[in-house]
Amino acid sequence: MLILFKIVIAISWIAVVFCLLLPVILLRLRVPPQKRSTQDLKAYQLYLLVPMHIEATIAQDALAHFLQRNIDTDFQYNIHWVVIEDGSTDLTEDQLRPFDKRYPNLAVIYRKFQAATGKGMALNAGLDYLRHKVPSTQWSKTIVGVLDADGQIASTALLKVLKTFAADAKLDMLQTAVAMTNTKRWLALVQDFEFQVFNTLLQNLRGHLKNVAGSGNGQFFRLSSLPTKFAWGQTLLEDFEISTKLLLQAKKTAYAYDLKVYQEATVSWQAYLRQRTRWVIGGLQCLHQFRKGLGQNQALRFGAKVEMFAFMLAAYTTIGLALTNIVALGLQVYLLVSYGRLSLILVAVLCLGLIMNSMLAYIYRVMAQASVAQAILIVVTLPFYAVLTLPIAISGLLGYVQHHHNWDKTDHGIL
């Protein structure tokens, strides 16, 4: 039994040290910025697909902001919004009607049949609209973006997206960075930290492995690169699903860390846990859908496959590591109470964790122009935020096993 305990402790410490050192490793794996063309972009068109389901609180403001941001740009009519009104049961449709057919670069699609079946199906409806609107000869120079209803991106960033695709004819998908607009509350602040630091580090790793994945808001695709039918499926992680489909077909994906899409963070615990549970279920659905094809694929590198499997298996590894750490922590407490000894390894790991959190908080302060108080708050509370991954993993795993696969959207405009 003693040997078993030692093995558990060893595994726990190895996992903890690995998790603490991983950010340092990822910081050394910076990907060069994307090249951007200086040629004339008049031949390029950008269509932003924006699904809206029960978004009456923000629909009108979202469209008004889009028109205002693009009113004086040189490419005003090269940038379009295609809003998919997805069978809302509130006043979303009434909010959209005043904008419909009034502006040449804004269109609204009203879904009445088979609506409200998930974000993927709404995006497919928007894609079908584009394929009928844009001549097939122009598909290679037509860029399709995906934004949530609360997404905000500057017109200058959209122009850089077009320049990135123009500079690389082989580029099929570009994922931008994501940041939060509302960071006054702690829960929103740590989400902003998660997206701006951890997600960027992960995407940098994927950039080296050649498997950059879709990650929420701010995905852009070359229209000619997307599947002709049912590009998006019905998993609850439609962003990772579509990028995986492209990667399995040897398509090129990239990450633009210097371009940001801003969105609302969830500010209530109920909404936060519901959103993250949906992501866990979606990852497990992707694992079921792609495990065979991913394992047999010859185009992807071995390291890329390992990272993708690890991402989809996160629920299992989170639960396993959490249980291992709980046992190890219990043994450390037992040694302290029974023999008055505090493990030097424990002290070293705690110090290492404090140093690591401080470094990451400093990086966040630079990237997000956060205050000193916000950076200190992150350093102190980041371990608590990490603990939240365990109930989320358990909730997601139970939801997947019990087939709770309905799209449970995040509410917007409740700040």
Side-chain angles (χ1 to χ4, degrees):
M1 184 63 70
L2 182 59
I3 294 177
L4 180 60
F5 281 160
K6 288 182 177 180
I7 293 174
V8 170
I9 292 176
I11 294 174
S12 175
W13 288 135
I14 290 172
V16 169
V17 172
F18 174 78
C19 291
L20 290 174
L21 292 179
L22 183 60
V24 176
I25 299 171
L26 296 182
L27 283 171
R28 303 298 301 173
L29 297 177
R30 296 182 182 180
V31 178
Q34 299 298 316
K35 294 181 180 179
R36 297 196 171 111
S37 175
T38 57
Q39 68 182 30
D40 188 354
L41 298 175
K42 290 182 179 179
Y44 281 81
Q45 298 284 324
L46 173 60
Y47 290 86
L48 296 170
L49 300 183
V50 187
M52 289 196 182
H53 177 65
I54 312 181
E55 300 286 8
T57 55
I58 64 170
Q60 201 168 50
D61 287 342
L63 268 62
H65 288 163
F66 164 73
L67 293 169
Q68 183 179 11
R69 283 195 299 269
N70 288 278
I71 195 169
D72 295 324
T73 64
D74 294 335
F75 292 87
Q76 177 182 359
Y77 298 115
N78 292 60
I79 300 174
H80 312 257
W81 254 37
V82 178
V83 178
I84 304 103
E85 202 295 297
D86 194 27
S88 299
T89 54
D90 64 352
L91 298 178
T92 300
E93 183 174 335
D94 295 335
Q95 297 286 337
L96 297 176
R97 288 290 181 188
F99 295 88
D100 193 10
K101 298 182 175 63
R102 290 188 57 188
Y103 303 93
N105 57 340
L106 195 156
V108 182
I109 301 171
Y110 301 94
R111 297 190 75 207
K112 299 298 182 182
F113 303 101
Q114 297 181 337
T117 54
K119 184 178 177 181
M121 295 300 100
L123 290 173
N124 285 333
L127 190 59
D128 288 342
Y129 166 82
L130 290 184
R131 291 195 185 281
H132 287 90
K133 177 181 176 63
V134 181
S136 58
T137 54
Q138 299 178 17
W139 286 3
S140 63
K141 294 185 177 181
T142 299
I143 310 305
V144 181
V146 175
L147 284 182
D148 289 343
D150 64 327
Q152 300 178 22
I153 183 169
S155 56
T156 52
L158 295 176
L159 181 58
K160 290 178 181 178
V161 168
L162 290 178
K163 289 182 176 181
T164 303
F165 277 95
D168 187 353
K170 295 182 179 180
L171 181 62
D172 300 293
M173 187 200 89
L174 181 71
Q175 172 67 56
T176 68
V178 179
M180 304 298 155
T181 57
N182 53 320
T183 57
K184 293 183 179 180
R185 302 186 186 183
W186 174 79
L187 187 58
L189 177 67
V190 289
Q191 288 175 72
D192 191 47
F193 169 82
E194 177 186 7
F195 273 90
Q196 294 216 51
V197 177
F198 281 139
N199 191 57
T200 295
L201 292 177
L202 177 60
Q203 293 285 28
N204 278 343
L205 171 63
R206 289 169 171 169
H208 283 278
L209 297 175
K210 308 299 182 185
N211 71 317
V212 168
S215 180
N217 263 323
Q219 302 157 59
F220 296 88
F221 306 88
R222 200 180 297 274
L223 180 56
S224 57
S225 303
L226 289 168
T228 55
K229 291 184 179 180
F230 299 106
W232 285 272
Q234 291 185 303
T235 73
L236 301 185
L237 205 62
E238 88 295 332
D239 47 8
F240 185 82
E241 177 189 2
I242 183 63
S243 61
T244 301
K245 286 182 178 179
L246 296 178
L247 289 168
L248 291 177
Q249 297 173 10
K251 302 288 187 179
K252 182 178 180 179
T253 64
Y255 180 66
Y257 61 83
D258 58 334
L259 304 179
K260 289 183 182 180
V261 173
Y262 292 87
Q263 65 182 40
E264 290 182 2
T266 53
V267 294
S268 72
W269 286 106
Q270 183 179 9
Y272 173 79
L273 294 174
R274 187 170 65 243
Q275 179 193 65
R276 299 308 170 102
T277 297
R278 187 184 76 222
W279 292 355
V280 172
I281 296 174
L284 294 172
Q285 288 176 317
C286 288
L287 177 65
H288 176 76
Q289 180 175 341
F290 296 118
R291 64 178 186 272
K292 185 176 180 180
L294 184 59
Q296 297 176 349
N297 188 270
Q298 300 298 317
L300 286 167
R301 299 178 179 180
F302 176 76
K305 294 181 182 182
V306 170
E307 190 280 325
M308 294 170 76
F309 273 118
F311 178 81
M312 293 183 287
L313 285 166
Y316 295 103
T317 54
T318 297
I319 294 173
L321 288 176
L323 294 176
T324 302
N325 286 331
I326 289 172
V327 172
L329 181 60
L331 291 173
Q332 294 297 328
V333 172
Y334 170 77
L335 289 174
L336 179 61
V337 172
S338 301
Y339 303 100
R341 293 188 310 178
L342 188 62
S343 171
L344 292 178
I345 298 179
L346 177 61
V347 174
V349 167
L350 291 175
C351 292
L352 181 61
L354 180 60
I355 294 171
M356 179 58 58
N357 289 349
S358 300
M359 183 183 69
L360 294 176
Y362 173 78
I363 294 172
Y364 172 69
R365 185 169 180 244
V366 173
M367 293 179 64
Q369 297 182 339
S371 66
V372 174
Q374 288 176 318
I376 294 174
L377 183 60
I378 287 174
V379 172
V380 174
T381 61
L382 198 56
F384 173 72
Y385 189 64
V387 170
L388 294 177
T389 58
L390 178 58
I392 291 170
I394 294 173
S395 176
L397 188 56
L398 290 176
Y400 177 74
V401 172
Q402 296 171 359
H403 300 285
H404 294 166
H405 299 173
N406 294 329
W407 187 271
D408 193 359
K409 70 178 291 294
T410 302
D411 295 327
H412 299 136
I414 59 174
L415 307 180

